[in-house]
Amino acid sequence: MRRDEVDRSKLSPMMLQYMDIKDNYEDTIIFFRLGDFYEMFFDDAVLVSRELELTLTGKQAGLEERVPMCGIPHHAYANYIDQLIERGYKVAICEQMEDPKTTKGMVKREVIQVVTRGTRLDDRVDSKSNNYISNIYDFSYCYGISYTDISTGEFYAVIVDKDEHSVIREVVRNSFKEVIVNSKIDRNLVNTLRSNYNVLVTITDDLCEEDIYSYIYSNEEDTRIITTIKHLLKYIVDTKKTTLTHLQKVEVIKENSHLIFDGNTKKNLELTETIRTGDRMYSLLWFLDKNKTAMGSRFLKYNIENPITSKKELERRYDLIEKLSTEFILRDDLMKELNEVYDLERLAGRVSYGNLNAKDLLQLKNSLKHLPNIKKILEELNYDKTLETLDDVYELLESSINEDAPFTVHEGRLIKDGYNSELDELRSVKNGSKDFILTLEKEEKERTGIKNLKVGYNKVFGYYIEVSKSNKDLVKDEWGWDRKQTLANCERYTTPLLKEKENIILGAEEKIINLEYKLFMDIREVVKRYISNLQTISKIISEIDMLQSFSVISDDNKLVRPTLTEERKIEFIECRHPVVEKVMKDKYIPNDIVMDEKTNILLITGPNMAGKSTYMRQCAITIIMAQIGCFVPCKSAIMPIFDKIFTRIGASDDLVSGESTFMVEMKEAEYAISEATEDSLILFDELGRGTATYDGMALAQAILEHIHNKIKAKTMFSTHYHELVSLDKKLKNLENVHVSALEEDGHITFLHKVKKGAVDKSYGIHVASLAGLPNSVIDRSKEILSKYENNSKKREKENNSFEQTSLFDSFEPIVKESKIEKELEKINPIEMTPMEAINFLYNLKEEMKKDK
């Protein structure tokens, strides 16, 4: 049965209430609270039962047919929500807003929050990564993008060009999991985000006009930025259904303030996760993360994804790393103190949102306890930012919150003795009454002579006197006991005096719990006033934690301070790939990467498995490390500041969109050569191998010539097209280098050493042998290769012979100029795009077919 098929006039009041709420959340699964369960109905029930493998049942709802239903225990809902959110669904928590015991008629229910991928505030969010929710606002001529982590309050915005690649770059680089778009946006882009990048996309045009959030964008004059932020805010506020005043003032990312790279580069260089497993381990982030706080780890990841271009800020970070390495004793003291600091950013978010407990406040107190020592160390290090210590907040929490407070805030035992006189008085009454109960038990035993008599308590019957069955005949009427409960082995009684004390005790307990909750909420409100201070403290802790991590990594791995130059030259002496070196330990062979003012392109040849890709990657990784303010894995390093990095490494089909390896190669190449500047770095690994040999070779040469003559970007281009090595005679800014290998007795040894000059052999059969192909296949391939080489030499000899005889002929041969030659004379390969080159080659082939 579907919800839209139901005659609502026949529904029960409870189901009608559900239907009215569901009408406002059509694209959301409703967790509808009924007693101790959350229940789902109609399509939601069918979907959830299938996704979570729950039993689908039915519920009477006033109709002839039972409506589909499934349910989960309310105390275990978090795990179920996790699974649904990871599969791309939204879940609305619909709670009972009244106590069913004291309410006549239908209990009022409301959606208290909507949980989505980008709006989670619970402990299940990865502490070492930001969880951004983003929006893309289409202004017809450009896109506005803003994004925030509502668990920390960080807020960013940027304006990008009106092209799909720029948008995808921001989405992938910052790992957006949920994106809000306006209705004007191209639906193809929406489908790409959903299908190719597993992003949850919601379409809405609503803007937030609440003044309470105007501080976020009050310093901005660009109306596009303001509109973009309002668009995202509206969705967040409607989803979380509470004030989110911990959201910070927006940081607008200016053009050229960051080193730009796209998702392919992030993936190819394995900056935050590995290609093979998708894990953090063995990525650059894994190598650099020796942070002691979750805030520091998140700040490091943000910097790796958004390296900076400010020379002044980079030099400042280098200076601080040097200071930390020199003052290593202070650094060790700092690390010990940082190790005791909890996640202040997310604690501040929980304070603002209102879902924190006493344990959170204890974590905040313990963190604040260590700030004075950290401040003292930073002053000794001459750190250029002042750390606030919030001593008054620490004193408040130290005097108020119990060290063994429970996780929930409605059980009492939250507040220390001595903090509030009214609470102390109530506790005295309660404790005095309990002492009376113990005294009463002792006195009644003596008065009645019933030795096993005892005074007990349960939530149903309250306080009672319990007498065993064997002694019940000793109970006398004149004692005035009233029988309360008969059990198999005892009788339970109450007395007027016991009832009086029960009322006092239970009344005191209820008042204590209510008063403790009120005091706790008052303390939370005091702490809430310091959210902005806590966020400022968090930024300082994050940065100094990241820098101490850089210092430790530098000392442990012999990293050096890079020299930033205005000249267009790279001089990395004995450069290493830090992650590969860490894994290989002592076996790693360093290499120089040198590109002076006159060298823009390194054409790299050498056999497979020799290390060409690693050589290229370590150059890019060294630059990224330098531009996040870290020392680099070299003996010495000189480099300019780069604006963009482009990579095409490895072969991969885009199966989702049905694009071949070659098409993906060409698209990535087109993006690089259209966006790169002379301040960019381009890495192309065996570009053109996805098509026929001569097509690929022609394209590779055309692209090299275009980069050399037009773009002038620093470029590393590896290839197996050995015919290209002669380009160094034609292109003055291109230099050949090769990864050397030693061939002895038919066996190959990779030396992993990059040397000047080119090689003219691929060693493909040798590599196949190392891979373990059968000897019969290897031997046969050698025979075939020998035949190809002999035929090639024969054709070459015939061509040379023809050329020599024609020189001495007494007559001039009549040669008719072909259409193909005429067409070739018309074009300039340097000015052609890769796609134009492909089309031109295709047309030439068609002409050749016609001639035949």
Side-chain angles (χ1 to χ4, degrees):
M1 181 188 300
R2 296 175 55 86
R3 190 166 58 90
D4 55 7
E5 299 171 345
V6 171
D7 181 355
R8 297 198 178 194
S9 64
K10 297 180 180 179
L11 288 174
S12 64
M14 185 279 293
M15 188 55 66
L16 189 60
Q17 182 189 50
Y18 167 82
M19 297 286 271
D20 291 340
I21 293 172
K22 179 65 180 177
D23 287 343
N24 296 317
Y25 296 92
E26 291 285 351
D27 64 342
T28 306
I29 297 168
I30 303 287
F31 274 27
F32 194 73
R33 182 70 178 269
L34 285 171
D36 290 336
F37 287 83
Y38 286 115
E39 296 187 358
M40 289 124 272
F41 304 104
F42 297 102
D43 294 345
D44 284 359
V46 175
L47 185 153
V48 172
S49 65
R50 182 183 69 244
E51 292 287 350
L52 303 183
E53 299 181 359
L54 300 176
T55 301
L56 183 66
T57 62
K59 188 177 186 72
Q60 292 293 344
L63 305 173
E64 293 180 6
E65 184 182 347
R66 288 159 63 90
V67 303
M69 183 202 83
C70 70
I72 57 172
H74 79 94
H75 58 80
Y77 79 98
N79 289 327
Y80 296 103
I81 283 185
D82 280 349
Q83 296 179 59
L84 291 172
I85 288 173
E86 286 306 311
R87 296 174 193 185
Y89 299 106
K90 303 178 187 178
V91 178
I93 308 297
C94 183
E95 279 291 353
Q96 297 174 165
M97 308 306 292
E98 300 171 325
D99 186 347
K101 295 177 183 177
T102 59
T103 303
K104 293 182 179 179
M106 178 63 60
V107 174
K108 182 180 178 182
R109 293 179 177 86
E110 289 180 3
V111 171
I112 60 168
Q113 67 166 314
V114 179
V115 185
T116 66
R117 283 182 180 175
T119 60
R120 305 193 66 176
L121 279 166
D122 53 54
D123 295 332
R124 286 172 161 77
V125 178
D126 180 10
S127 64
K128 293 192 173 185
S129 298
N130 283 106
N131 185 42
Y132 291 125
I133 181 170
S134 168
N135 74 322
I136 303 168
Y137 200 92
D138 190 337
F139 289 102
S140 299
Y141 60 93
C142 69
Y143 290 117
I145 299 176
S146 65
Y147 51 102
T148 181
D149 182 342
I150 63 171
S151 68
T152 66
E154 299 159 275
F155 217 122
Y156 303 95
V158 63
I159 299 294
V160 301
D161 295 334
K162 184 68 183 290
D163 72 271
E164 184 176 309
H165 210 115
S166 296
V167 173
I168 298 298
R169 180 188 67 211
E170 294 299 319
V171 170
V172 176
R173 190 178 65 187
N174 294 296
S175 305
F176 296 155
K177 297 177 181 177
E178 182 174 5
V179 173
I180 318 305
V181 299
N182 60 332
S183 58
K184 192 184 291 185
I185 203 159
D186 182 0
R187 291 303 186 272
N188 290 328
L189 176 56
V190 171
N191 292 334
T192 299
L193 291 173
R194 285 172 173 165
S195 302
N196 295 20
Y197 299 97
N198 193 30
V199 174
L200 176 63
V201 181
T202 302
I203 302 173
T204 176
D205 290 322
D206 297 338
L207 303 180
C208 178
E209 302 294 348
E210 297 181 38
D211 289 339
I212 191 174
Y213 298 110
S214 62
Y215 71 92
I216 295 173
Y217 48 81
S218 59
N219 295 333
E220 295 305 318
E221 297 179 356
D222 190 333
T223 56
R224 299 172 302 175
I225 293 288
I226 295 172
T227 300
T228 302
I229 293 170
K230 285 182 175 181
H231 182 237
L232 179 58
L233 278 173
K234 177 62 174 174
Y235 179 82
I236 296 171
V237 172
D238 287 351
T239 299
K240 301 317 293 179
K241 297 188 175 296
T242 188
T243 54
L244 298 167
T245 50
H246 71 292
L247 295 177
Q248 301 174 35
K249 288 186 177 181
V250 67
E251 178 183 329
V252 178
I253 300 173
K254 303 296 183 183
E255 189 176 5
N256 300 326
S257 63
H258 291 83
L259 170 62
I260 295 172
F261 50 78
D262 64 6
N264 293 316
T265 298
K266 179 181 175 182
K267 176 182 175 182
N268 290 334
L269 298 179
E270 299 184 307
L271 297 182
T272 59
E273 59 184 36
T274 59
I275 295 173
R276 178 172 294 183
T277 64
D279 292 337
R280 178 188 294 244
M281 191 171 185
Y282 301 130
S283 67
L284 179 64
L285 176 60
W286 165 80
F287 173 78
L288 292 175
D289 191 359
K290 299 297 181 185
N291 288 279
K292 297 299 179 182
T293 69
M295 297 174 287
S297 293
R298 287 198 300 272
F299 188 61
L300 169 61
K301 187 171 186 282
Y302 176 80
N303 274 267
I304 290 175
E305 294 171 334
N306 299 273
I308 59 178
T309 57
S310 167
K311 183 178 180 181
K312 181 179 178 182
E313 176 59 20
L314 290 173
E315 296 288 4
R316 171 185 166 273
R317 292 184 183 183
Y318 299 155
D319 290 342
L320 287 165
I321 293 169
E322 278 190 344
K323 185 71 173 177
L324 285 162
S325 293
T326 303
E327 302 287 349
F328 57 88
I329 296 177
L330 280 177
R331 183 188 68 191
D332 290 346
D333 292 341
L334 175 64
M335 291 165 63
K336 290 175 185 174
E337 295 294 335
L338 289 173
N339 203 42
E340 301 299 323
V341 177
Y342 290 87
D343 196 339
L344 294 177
E345 272 184 325
R346 286 189 169 161
L347 283 174
R350 290 169 71 84
V351 170
S352 173
Y353 188 62
N355 64 336
L356 85 165
N357 55 37
K359 298 293 185 186
D360 294 324
L361 290 183
L362 288 173
Q363 288 183 356
L364 175 59
K365 183 194 78 171
N366 292 333
S367 299
L368 296 178
K369 180 180 180 180
H370 293 272
L371 292 187
N373 289 340
I374 294 174
K375 180 179 181 180
K376 183 179 178 182
I377 293 169
L378 295 183
E379 287 172 349
E380 292 186 55
L381 291 168
N382 296 321
Y383 184 67
D384 55 357
K385 296 177 183 177
T386 302
L387 182 69
E388 196 175 0
T389 55
L390 301 185
D391 296 335
D392 48 350
V393 178
Y394 172 77
E395 293 299 333
L396 169 65
L397 298 177
E398 171 65 15
S399 63
S400 60
I401 305 297
N402 255 331
E403 296 294 339
D404 59 348
F407 281 99
T408 62
V409 295
H410 296 286
E411 293 181 16
R413 297 184 289 113
L414 299 172
I415 307 299
K416 285 182 175 179
D417 291 336
Y419 176 72
N420 179 272
S421 58
E422 182 183 352
L423 180 61
D424 291 343
E425 187 176 337
L426 284 169
R427 283 174 173 165
S428 178
V429 170
K430 175 187 169 184
N431 293 333
S433 297
K434 286 197 171 183
D435 289 341
F436 167 80
I437 295 296
L438 294 174
T439 304
L440 175 67
E441 181 179 290
K442 182 180 178 182
E443 290 175 349
E444 288 297 307
K445 283 180 180 179
E446 292 175 356
R447 184 173 73 87
T448 64
I450 303 173
K451 301 300 181 183
N452 63 356
L453 175 152
K454 64 180 181 181
V455 178
Y457 170 82
N458 66 35
K459 289 184 178 180
V460 177
F461 293 104
Y463 284 94
Y464 54 81
I465 297 173
E466 184 176 291
V467 178
S468 64
K469 286 281 189 182
S470 60
N471 289 320
K472 74 173 184 177
D473 293 336
L474 299 177
V475 177
K476 299 178 181 178
D477 293 337
E478 58 263 30
W479 295 348
W481 291 7
D482 294 326
R483 183 179 284 107
K484 200 167 190 179
Q485 185 182 19
T486 300
L487 299 176
N489 59 349
C490 65
E491 294 284 344
R492 289 177 177 174
Y493 305 87
T494 185
T495 70
L497 181 60
L498 199 55
K499 284 183 179 179
E500 180 184 341
K501 289 298 180 180
E502 177 184 303
N503 291 333
I504 294 173
I505 294 170
L506 297 182
E509 284 185 351
E510 185 177 353
K511 288 178 182 177
I512 287 170
I513 288 173
N514 291 338
L515 180 56
E516 286 201 64
Y517 178 74
K518 179 183 179 301
L519 292 172
F520 179 83
M521 299 306 287
D522 291 343
I523 294 165
R524 194 198 78 178
E525 288 303 310
V526 173
V527 175
K528 196 173 181 179
R529 296 200 291 267
Y530 291 87
I531 285 177
S532 178
N533 307 70
L534 288 170
Q535 289 171 334
T536 302
I537 291 168
S538 298
K539 290 184 184 300
I540 293 175
I541 295 293
S542 299
E543 182 186 58
I544 198 63
D545 193 16
M546 182 183 77
L547 293 176
Q548 70 78 19
S549 178
F550 288 168
S551 173
V552 170
I553 290 291
S554 298
D555 290 351
D556 291 347
N557 297 277
K558 299 180 181 177
L559 308 186
V560 299
R561 176 173 181 155
T563 299
L564 303 178
T565 178
E566 301 298 325
E567 301 175 44
R568 294 189 64 255
K569 69 174 183 179
I570 296 174
E571 192 177 290
F572 297 153
I573 305 303
E574 294 189 16
C575 181
R576 296 112 57 198
H577 190 300
V579 179
V580 176
E581 181 187 35
K582 191 80 173 175
V583 175
M584 293 179 66
K585 298 181 179 175
D586 298 331
K587 301 176 186 176
Y588 192 85
I589 297 172
N591 278 296
D592 296 347
I593 303 175
V594 179
M595 303 173 76
D596 58 23
E597 292 266 15
K598 296 179 180 179
T599 305
N600 288 336
I601 301 174
L602 289 184
L603 186 62
I604 309 164
T605 50
N608 284 320
M609 294 177 59
K612 298 192 299 296
S613 297
T614 301
Y615 181 66
M616 297 167 69
R617 285 187 174 100
Q618 71 192 43
C619 178
I621 284 176
T622 299
I623 289 167
I624 289 171
M625 288 176 67
Q627 288 191 223
I628 64 175
C630 184
F631 286 8
V632 296
C634 302
K635 188 175 182 180
S636 65
I638 301 172
M639 56 169 272
I641 292 177
F642 287 84
D643 63 352
K644 301 171 186 175
I645 294 178
F646 304 91
T647 66
R648 172 57 204 173
I649 300 174
S652 59
D653 293 351
D654 189 344
L655 298 177
V656 175
S657 57
E659 293 180 346
S660 67
T661 297
F662 184 62
M663 180 56 78
V664 172
E665 274 191 334
M666 290 301 101
K667 281 191 171 183
E668 292 180 8
E670 187 278 330
Y671 174 65
I673 63 179
S674 63
E675 296 288 328
T677 72
E678 66 175 14
D679 295 322
S680 302
L681 175 72
I682 300 174
L683 306 181
F684 282 158
D685 187 16
E686 299 184 33
L687 192 69
R689 64 183 169 182
T691 186
T693 301
Y694 291 112
D695 286 359
M697 195 187 309
L699 282 166
Q701 179 170 336
I703 290 170
L704 278 169
E705 290 173 351
H706 182 81
I707 293 172
H708 181 276
N709 298 329
K710 300 286 186 180
I711 304 172
K712 299 178 172 61
K714 295 294 183 185
T715 303
M716 302 178 80
F717 195 110
S718 73
T719 185
H720 281 297
Y721 297 136
H722 299 293
E723 294 81 355
L724 296 178
V725 299
S726 61
L727 284 174
D728 64 339
K729 297 177 177 62
K730 178 182 177 183
L731 306 179
K732 63 179 182 179
N733 300 125
L734 181 146
E735 181 180 332
N736 282 308
V737 296
H738 69 278
V739 186
S740 57
L742 181 64
E743 186 182 1
E744 290 181 328
D745 301 325
H747 298 284
I748 186 171
T749 302
F750 299 119
L751 302 179
H752 301 292
K753 199 68 181 174
V754 177
K755 298 180 180 179
K756 289 190 175 184
V759 294
D760 58 0
K761 199 170 183 181
S762 290
Y763 302 100
I765 294 176
H766 297 83
V767 174
S769 178
L770 289 174
L773 281 177
N775 290 334
S776 58
V777 174
I778 299 299
D779 292 340
R780 176 58 180 154
S781 64
K782 288 178 180 178
E783 291 176 15
I784 296 170
L785 177 63
S786 178
K787 287 181 181 179
Y788 280 133
E789 289 176 341
N790 288 336
N791 289 338
S792 177
K793 289 175 183 177
K794 184 178 178 181
R795 283 194 300 271
E796 188 177 343
K797 186 176 181 182
E798 290 173 353
N799 289 338
N800 289 339
S801 173
F802 172 77
E803 289 171 5
Q804 287 180 2
T805 55
S806 66
L807 287 171
F808 300 100
D809 257 15
S810 58
F811 64 90
E812 184 175 342
I814 300 171
V815 181
K816 183 180 178 183
E817 188 177 23
S818 71
K819 291 181 182 178
I820 294 174
E821 287 174 320
K822 288 180 181 178
E823 291 297 318
L824 285 170
E825 286 178 357
K826 292 179 184 177
I827 67 155
N828 183 352
I830 295 172
E831 295 177 351
M832 297 178 79
T833 66
M835 195 54 65
E836 288 170 345
I838 292 172
N839 291 331
F840 182 76
L841 286 169
Y842 175 80
N843 291 332
L844 287 187
K845 281 192 170 185
E846 292 299 309
E847 287 295 330
M848 290 172 67
K849 289 178 183 177
K850 290 178 184 177
D851 291 344
K852 288 178 181 179

